[in-house]
Amino acid sequence: MMIGTSDHQDNNIEFQRNKKLKQNNPETEPDYSCFVAHVTASSLETDALYLPQDFTSSNDLKRKSCKIVLKDEEERSWAMDLRFNKGSDTCYISRGWKHFCDENGKNEGSVFTFKLMSNGETPLLSVLPIKSDNGRTQGDKNSSQSYRDSTSPNHNRFVTLTLTNDSLKSSRVYLPLPFVRENGMNNPRMVTLLGKDGVRWTVNLLRESSGRMSLGKGMKDFSKANGLKIGESFTMELKWENATPVLSLFCKEYRIPNKFVTLTLTHDSLNNNRLGLPLSFMRENNMNKPGTMTLLGKDGTKWIANLLQESRGRMSLGKGWREFAIANGLEIGVSFTLESIWEDATPMLSLFSIVESTSDKRQQGECCSNASEEEKSIST
């Protein structure tokens, strides 16, 4: 059974290798033969346990496809498959992992501590005794394990963020303070962002002068690669791999584009044959590329106008716009509303309504007032 990259992304398994460091002997190297694995709903559903990359590379298990034996505390053995996933560059155990957990009375949220006992043609992993101390799982007395259980209900593992124009320009996406505090992420460090295709991005977690935490360098590239757009919200799920926080793209919440824009006709827009359009509106409706577009008048008549891109990226209507305005009775100082419509692959702006400007209403009010005064004078 081959597990794809997306399965690896959904597999909420966290590992922490045991580092047997003897404080009295600084030359002692870490023990890469041990690691801690969490039993999750995803691992049980896919019947697969992914192994830490440090563990597999240090023990020359990388890119190896063979049989592997898991032995529990009672010395019972289970033979399983050790496979290599090229997409995620990781190894995983399959065909028996779920049965192994069932036989050992382990379900979602449980933890195993494994030690590599033999690394021959058929590697052997043995379960080490574990005990619980104030909710933290520890291995044998000679090992020191440090990991965060992101499956714990005490931690809110999900955070919803919104991509703004400023966040892209400054390459800063701010994280809610309660989220970072609750999950122990309120110190500057490097974090990993896991995209929808399983690709990993390394991003700086920064602390601003105000104390707020933000995702910095690398966030812009991650957003672009995963199709995140300005104004769009997305949800990230926090997972921990060893001591590194991993924020995995969980889902995107699509925003319904605003199809209407209200503009006011000015003297310059008629004289220069240019009508500036809000860039946010054009981007939201996917009309931010130069070319030609159709203008639909109030009587159903169609006009072809040039859609131009100014030096600063702003979009404007050019040749054809003035004829459209005159034909539809648009006057200087009058506001009008356009509706974005797509006709097959052709962008279209339809004249939705014409609204009198405040200045026109004020002028009309002054005229009426003057006329009333004149009538009173004549009457007198």
Side-chain angles (χ1 to χ4, degrees):
M1 179 181 71
M2 295 300 294
I3 308 296
T5 304
S6 59
D7 293 311
H8 181 209
Q9 176 181 351
D10 295 334
N11 193 354
N12 187 17
I13 302 175
E14 301 166 0
F15 303 103
Q16 172 62 44
R17 64 175 181 267
N18 294 322
K19 298 181 179 180
K20 295 187 176 181
L21 297 174
K22 298 181 180 179
Q23 296 180 356
N24 297 330
N25 186 3
E27 297 180 356
T28 303
E29 294 294 330
D31 183 4
Y32 292 103
S33 65
C34 298
F35 68 93
V36 174
H38 290 258
V39 180
T40 64
S42 178
S43 68
L44 295 176
E45 182 180 352
T46 58
D47 194 21
L49 171 69
Y50 276 85
L51 304 179
Q53 291 183 338
D54 288 346
F55 170 79
T56 56
S57 59
S58 299
N59 294 284
D60 198 27
L61 294 176
K62 199 172 182 180
R63 299 184 180 275
K64 181 183 289 187
S65 295
C66 58
K67 288 291 183 180
I68 189 170
V69 175
L70 269 61
K71 184 178 291 186
D72 66 6
E73 297 179 43
E74 299 177 3
E75 298 297 320
R76 296 181 299 173
S77 300
W78 286 262
M80 305 179 196
D81 290 340
L82 179 63
R83 300 290 181 86
F84 177 71
N85 189 326
K86 293 182 179 180
S88 59
D89 196 36
T90 52
C91 291
Y92 63 94
I93 297 173
S94 67
R95 295 184 183 274
W97 167 247
K98 184 178 183 301
H99 180 63
F100 178 81
C101 294
D102 292 340
E103 288 293 313
N104 284 272
K106 302 289 187 179
N107 49 26
E108 181 182 359
S110 300
V111 177
F112 283 106
T113 302
F114 287 106
K115 182 175 179 63
L116 182 63
M117 307 301 294
S118 173
N119 192 12
E121 183 177 349
T122 303
L124 171 63
L125 289 177
S126 182
V127 176
L128 294 179
I130 58 176
K131 61 181 180 179
S132 178
D133 182 15
N134 295 329
R136 288 191 177 273
T137 306
Q138 300 178 342
D140 60 344
K141 296 180 180 179
N142 296 326
S143 63
S144 173
Q145 304 161 7
S146 174
Y147 59 86
R148 185 175 301 275
D149 186 2
S150 68
T151 61
S152 170
N154 296 327
H155 294 289
N156 179 16
R157 297 184 292 116
F158 298 93
V159 60
T160 299
L161 309 170
T162 301
L163 196 65
T164 65
N165 189 40
D166 290 339
S167 63
L168 278 185
K169 284 184 178 180
S170 60
S171 192
R172 292 283 191 279
V173 175
Y174 290 96
L175 298 173
L177 194 55
F179 172 80
V180 295
R181 283 178 175 173
E182 190 174 353
N183 291 283
M185 294 176 61
N186 50 343
N187 290 316
R189 63 198 306 166
M190 301 301 294
V191 301
T192 299
L193 301 184
L194 189 61
K196 59 184 179 182
D197 53 0
V199 176
R200 293 170 177 258
W201 305 77
T202 301
V203 177
N204 288 330
L205 179 61
L206 308 172
R207 177 188 285 152
E208 309 293 333
S209 57
S210 60
R212 297 178 66 186
M213 304 299 295
S214 65
L215 298 172
K217 186 178 179 181
M219 186 63 204
K220 185 175 181 179
D221 295 333
F222 172 81
S223 302
K224 184 177 180 181
N226 287 276
L228 301 178
K229 299 178 181 179
I230 294 175
E232 189 173 271
S233 297
F234 56 98
T235 300
M236 307 288 286
E237 180 183 6
L238 174 63
K239 306 177 182 181
W240 286 81
E241 291 182 355
N242 297 339
T244 303
V246 178
L247 288 172
S248 175
L249 183 60
F250 186 75
C251 68
K252 294 195 295 182
E253 301 171 9
Y254 294 95
R255 175 182 171 184
I256 300 175
N258 180 18
K259 299 176 62 178
F260 299 93
V261 60
T262 300
L263 307 168
T264 302
L265 187 62
T266 64
H267 187 268
D268 290 340
S269 65
L270 272 186
N271 279 358
N272 300 329
N273 200 12
R274 288 285 191 280
L275 177 66
L277 299 169
L279 186 56
S280 58
F281 170 80
M282 300 302 285
R283 281 177 175 171
E284 203 168 340
N285 290 277
N286 200 24
M287 295 181 176
N288 55 334
K289 294 182 179 180
T292 58
M293 72 182 314
T294 302
L295 301 179
L296 185 62
K298 57 186 179 181
D299 57 356
T301 303
K302 294 182 179 180
W303 304 76
I304 303 298
N306 288 338
L307 181 59
L308 309 174
Q309 189 170 28
E310 309 292 343
S311 58
R312 295 185 178 180
R314 186 181 179 185
M315 307 301 296
S316 64
L317 292 175
K319 184 180 179 181
W321 143 249
R322 181 164 51 193
E323 290 78 3
F324 168 81
I326 295 174
N328 286 275
L330 300 180
E331 299 178 357
I332 296 174
V334 171
S335 297
F336 55 97
T337 300
L338 299 174
E339 179 184 7
S340 68
I341 302 174
W342 279 84
E343 191 175 73
D344 297 328
T346 303
M348 179 185 298
L349 289 176
S350 174
L351 183 59
F352 184 78
S353 64
I354 301 176
V355 184
E356 290 180 331
S357 66
T358 305
S359 60
D360 288 342
K361 292 181 178 180
R362 186 168 57 250
Q363 289 175 2
Q364 289 180 4
E366 291 175 355
C367 291
C368 291
S369 177
N370 292 337
S372 178
E373 291 295 334
E374 290 177 0
E375 290 176 359
K376 288 181 180 179
S377 178
I378 295 173
S379 176
T380 303

